[in-house]
Amino acid sequence: MADDLEHQEPPRPLRISDAERDRAIEQLQTALGEGRISLAELDKRLSLVYSADTRPEIDAVMADLPAARPLEALEVHRVKSIARIHGRWEVPAFLTVGCYDALIRLDFRQASIGHPAVRIDLSAAKSIVRLQLPPGASVSAHGLAVHKGLIRNRVADRSGLPGGTEFMITGHLTKALLFLR
């Protein structure tokens, strides 16, 4: 087992999305407007941003500038309807999900997650909630109260392994189903 961990390749850097590239460009333009960089420096850095493929490449361009304000929270509320978030999207550190007689699907597999942990406060009644987690993620639903509901956890326990995002789910399920994949 120890040999398996020693021979594992380090995780590959995440590729950046168009939205992340756009945020970096906005941050550079703000830095120009604040007098932090010159017009020549802006041109040089924009070329690097446009040619970047991964997050570390973007981080290197932005390293000496103040960080842009991150997305702090996301709220998803549905009553007798469907909500689906999938593809490339930025995941905040805190999500609030509330639903009644609804179907919620959150797919984190292609999402950009810039922090080691994501907390989800879930309030679901007579609903189905499906969370598709990225490879290497771990999940804890110990803070979730269940009344006449079901949690189906198909996520392998990877707690303690480096590099994976930890998803912590709190709140309550009432006559609802939570599927974790």
Side-chain angles (χ1 to χ4, degrees), residues 120-137:
I120 301 172
D121 185 27
L122 176 64
S123 175
K126 297 183 180 179
S127 298
I128 298 173
V129 178
R130 294 181 186 271
L131 305 178
Q132 292 183 288
L133 305 182

Side-chain angles (χ1 to χ4, degrees), residues 161-177:
L161 292 179
T165 302
E166 179 183 8
F167 286 81
M168 297 170 288
I169 304 171
T170 60
H172 63 276
L173 289 178
T174 304
K175 296 181 182 178
L177 305 172

